[in-house]
Amino acid sequence: EDRNWQPRRRRRRRPLTPRRPRRWPPPTVYAMGTSSAGQSQDWSHLLSGAGAGFLTTVLLHPLDLIKTRMHVQEAGGRRLPYYSNVLQAFRVIVRVEGARGLYQGVGPNIFGSTVSWALYMFGYNQLKADLTRMQEARPADARLSPSAVYIVAATASGTAVSLVMHPVFTIKTRMQLQLAAR
């Protein structure tokens, strides 16, 4: 037996994160959508939503057109051709109506999506900020969780936008169901 034996000392491992976490963004740079006072800049959300709605509509309108036509098609119907799949629908529309046929009803769709997403993002962020402020005034045991606040804000904003914009999307759908003149 070795009386001088001692357990091997473990080397102290360095933590994976620095001891003093860095602040990001730095104090002089503010996260997008907030001012130096930390208040929400509503215009940034409005413009972001409008830009997103416009871009997605311009890029994805042909798929929306095909989806709408496939939803209402009838076997043996005379108004529109029968489409068996998305690729075949794409080919038939281009052959019968030309490439412009893929963008039938794009005007109301661009207007509707741009305005809808702008209003939704604006309304969501306003409601979220208002609900958060209201929650801070309530006693701690009567507050909603942050997740519940987000869900309420999203649901209320989405419902309001859907009610307001429904007529625009009805027009879009009717225009998509017309064959374009070549």
Side-chain angles (χ1 to χ4, degrees):
E1 288 183 37
D2 188 8
R3 292 182 184 246
N4 294 332
W5 181 85
Q6 293 178 355
R8 202 165 104 194
R9 288 186 183 173
R10 289 187 172 181
R11 277 184 21 194
R12 186 172 166 185
R13 292 185 181 180
R14 290 176 51 185
L16 296 176
T17 58
R19 291 180 189 202
R20 287 183 293 158
R22 295 181 184 164
R23 287 191 55 187
W24 190 257
T28 55
V29 178
Y30 303 105
M32 186 174 136
T34 59
S35 66
S36 60
Q39 295 176 346
S40 175
Q41 291 179 350
D42 303 322
W43 294 108
S44 67
H45 298 296
L46 187 87
L47 293 175
S48 297
F54 177 81
L55 189 61
T56 56
T57 300
V58 168
L59 295 175
L60 299 175
H61 184 76
L63 290 175
D64 187 40
L65 173 85
I66 291 170
K67 174 204 64 140
T68 302
R69 288 191 179 179
M70 289 182 84
H71 277 184
V72 299
Q73 71 184 359
E74 304 164 350
R78 293 189 180 112
R79 257 183 80 206
L80 294 170
Y82 183 80
Y83 309 116
S84 58
N85 59 47
V86 174
L87 188 59
Q88 189 257 348
F90 184 83
R91 288 181 185 147
V92 169
I93 291 170
V94 170
R95 184 172 32 102
V96 173
E97 303 174 52
R100 292 181 80 181
L102 291 170
Y103 283 89
Q104 185 73 16
V106 76
N109 200 8
I110 285 177
F111 174 76
S113 290
T114 302
V115 172
S116 290
W117 280 108
L119 291 175
Y120 174 79
M121 295 304 289
F122 176 79
Y124 169 73
N125 284 292
Q126 278 296 112
L127 285 170
K128 187 173 66 168
D130 292 344
L131 288 171
T132 302
R133 239 180 278 116
M134 288 171 46
Q135 291 301 312
E136 291 170 356
R138 298 178 82 179
D141 60 339
R143 291 182 185 170
L144 293 174
S145 70
S147 298
V149 169
Y150 300 154
I151 290 170
V152 169
T155 303
S157 183
T159 301
V161 169
S162 294
L163 290 172
V164 170
M165 297 305 295
H166 181 72
V168 174
F169 289 110
T170 301
I171 293 168
K172 173 207 73 154
T173 302
R174 290 189 179 176
M175 288 181 73
Q176 286 180 333
L177 295 176
Q178 298 173 358
L179 288 176
R182 200 156 199 214

